[in-house]
Amino acid sequence: MKLGFGLMRLPKKALSIDIEQTSKMADMFIEAGGTYFDTAYIYPGSEDAACKALCSRHKRETYTLATKLNASIALTEKMARSQLDTSLKKTKAEYFDYYLLHSLMEKNYGRYDKFDLWEFVKEEQKKGKIKNYGFSFHGGPELLDKLLTEHPDVDFVQLQINYCDWESEKVRSRENYEVARKHGKEIVIMEPVKGGSLADPPQEVKDILKAAEPDASYASWALRFAASLDGVRSVLSGMSNIEQMQDNLNVMKDFKGLSKSEEETILKARQAFNAVKSIPCTACGYCAKGCPKQIPIPAVFAARNKQLIFGKTEEGAADYEAAVTASSRACDCIGCGQCENACPQHLEVTEYLKQCSEVFDKA
């Protein structure tokens, strides 16, 4: 089964990950034939949850586990390399089936060279701590081609691919996909539902998809688009509750590729989605981690999108007030640019915050 269980957006109980519900979801996934679980050193609480919900409860041969090394948060080479052993201790996984250099793009790829991490992962692969190594990527096709040319022994590449971003001038999903396939690399797909926005798209998109298949969920269209591509090893979905898990399993357990007419429906949905004015944030949270003003940037953008996409002006304003504090409003942004350096979507975050401030802070 091509469905992968992404452990980034796990269910919450209060402010903590709901281990009981996550465990049930892991059980459902394995019982349905799923094997691929994806976490990362940088995801708060995720590796601990992987240990409690998965590794301590299931035989090692019944699942495969991926995690990631993020050089952007490491001050030294030693600190970067230590992430692997820390991840092994946290998950108690014994080894990782898939190990990735995390979130490479034009702004940070030199750091992976500086710390000689390409050689490091190959050394650890020889020791048996890693079975397959690759990297997750948020840059352009020119850089991807360069990296795959310089590192031909990479086992796989993780790319952001969904029907909305397929022709995006910033994400460049199709071009990156074509470069990876040119190099003969298998692909793991992330953000197939674009941070959940394709599971609850604008009404114009909903109308198109419902007219084509009234009983299909909106998310199922996004998953099937991604899984229909050649050379895809796994399509990751960051499922946040049991209902999402069951819907995705229903779609992917007996997967069927898109027909010609369904491809035409996807094209119409893409055009309709991209015609709606919105902030294309996937709520990964990387921007907020180092914000000196502790502005909850993804929540601010989600509140504004509730207004832009769904016309829910009052609800969006209420969500904004619930998310911010007196000193962490959009207007408190000092324009340091940390958020933009961290953003894998290459968004002009500070400009969007100004726009949000004009709406929310001057109302």
Side-chain angles (χ1 to χ4, degrees):
M1 182 168 66
K2 284 187 176 182
L3 182 65
F5 188 176
L7 304 179
M8 181 181 183
R9 296 180 172 94
L10 292 171
K12 295 290 186 69
K13 179 178 285 187
L15 297 178
S16 301
I17 292 173
D18 186 338
I19 298 299
E20 181 180 1
Q21 187 173 179
T22 301
S23 297
K24 291 179 181 178
M25 293 166 68
D27 294 349
M28 291 172 63
F29 187 68
I30 290 176
E31 288 169 8
T35 59
Y36 197 109
F37 291 80
D38 174 89
T39 182
Y41 178 89
I42 200 174
Y43 298 166
S46 179
E47 290 185 333
D48 290 323
C51 175
K52 295 173 183 176
L54 175 67
C55 302
S56 65
R57 301 177 58 253
H58 290 274
K59 293 181 180 179
R60 189 61 183 85
E61 63 271 17
T62 62
Y63 64 88
T64 60
L65 184 61
T67 196
K68 310 174 188 77
L69 184 164
N70 193 303
S72 296
I73 63 171
L75 298 178
T76 65
E77 180 178 328
K78 183 178 180 180
M79 291 175 66
R81 294 183 174 215
S82 70
Q83 291 181 27
L84 172 58
D85 284 336
T86 300
S87 293
L88 285 168
K89 289 177 182 177
K90 281 186 176 181
T91 60
K92 295 183 173 60
E94 301 175 26
Y95 59 88
F96 291 112
D97 303 273
Y98 305 99
Y99 198 67
L100 299 89
L101 302 181
H102 195 183
S103 194
L104 273 70
M105 51 186 160
E106 287 77 5
K107 298 174 183 177
N108 68 9
Y109 80 95
R111 201 168 184 82
Y112 291 86
D113 292 326
K114 177 182 177 181
F115 293 158
D116 204 19
L117 296 177
W118 299 95
E119 288 303 314
F120 168 70
V121 292
K122 286 188 278 189
E123 291 166 4
E124 298 304 304
Q125 190 176 33
K126 291 177 182 177
K127 296 176 185 178
K129 294 182 180 181
I130 301 167
K131 300 300 182 183
N132 302 275
Y133 96 92
F135 59 94
S136 61
F137 187 73
H138 287 284
E142 298 84 4
L143 177 59
L144 182 58
D145 188 56
K146 169 183 164 65
L147 293 176
L148 291 177
T149 299
E150 293 176 351
H151 306 285
D153 51 356
V154 163
D155 296 304
F156 66 104
V157 182
Q158 185 165 307
L159 300 175
Q160 177 172 321
I161 294 177
N162 56 66
Y163 71 75
C164 179
D165 290 327
W166 189 239
E167 299 292 352
S168 166
E169 293 181 0
K170 287 192 174 182
V171 181
R172 303 177 75 179
S173 288
R174 177 184 57 77
E175 295 175 85
N176 282 330
Y177 168 79
E178 290 172 353
V179 169
R181 295 304 294 150
K182 181 187 75 172
H183 284 269
K185 302 304 178 185
E186 284 195 308
I187 297 166
V188 172
I189 291 180
M190 58 182 159
E191 300 291 358
V193 194
K194 197 171 171 62
S197 60
L198 299 184
D200 185 21
Q203 190 61 48
E204 297 89 334
V205 178
K206 290 180 178 179
D207 292 343
I208 291 169
L209 299 180
K210 281 300 180 185
E213 182 52 68
D215 297 327
S217 69
Y218 306 120
S220 69
W221 283 93
L223 289 177
R224 291 180 63 215
F225 170 83
S228 293
L229 296 169
D230 290 335
V232 172
R233 178 176 293 189
S234 185
V235 177
L236 301 177
S237 179
M239 295 167 274
S240 302
N241 55 54
I242 288 174
E243 292 72 26
Q244 290 176 4
M245 172 65 75
Q246 189 59 63
D247 180 50
N248 288 351
L249 290 175
N250 290 341
V251 173
M252 299 295 285
K253 189 174 181 181
D254 298 311
F255 173 73
K256 294 180 180 178
L258 294 173
S259 66
K260 186 65 176 177
S261 63
E262 288 171 330
E263 289 177 354
E264 293 172 355
T265 297
I266 287 288
L267 175 58
K268 293 177 183 177
R270 177 190 307 144
Q271 293 169 338
F273 190 102
N274 290 330
V276 176
K277 183 180 179 182
S278 66
I279 302 173
C281 171
T282 62
C284 68
Y286 296 166
C287 58
K289 288 183 180 9
C291 177
K293 303 300 291 184
Q294 297 184 312
I295 301 171
I297 300 170
V300 172
F301 290 170
R304 182 60 178 140
N305 277 338
K306 182 169 284 189
Q307 297 178 326
L308 291 170
I309 297 174
F310 302 107
K312 298 180 178 180
T313 304
E314 294 182 1
E315 290 97 326
D319 287 353
Y320 175 77
E321 294 298 335
V324 302
T325 66
S327 59
S328 68
R329 302 176 72 87
C331 60
D332 292 309
C333 172
I334 59 174
C336 68
Q338 179 279 333
C339 51
E340 294 180 358
N341 286 330
C343 179
Q345 307 302 318
H346 313 290
L347 301 182
E348 296 177 350
V349 180
T350 56
E351 179 58 33
Y352 280 125
L353 283 173
K354 289 179 183 177
Q355 295 174 14
C356 291
S357 179
E358 290 174 359
V359 173
F360 293 128
D361 297 324
K362 299 178 181 179

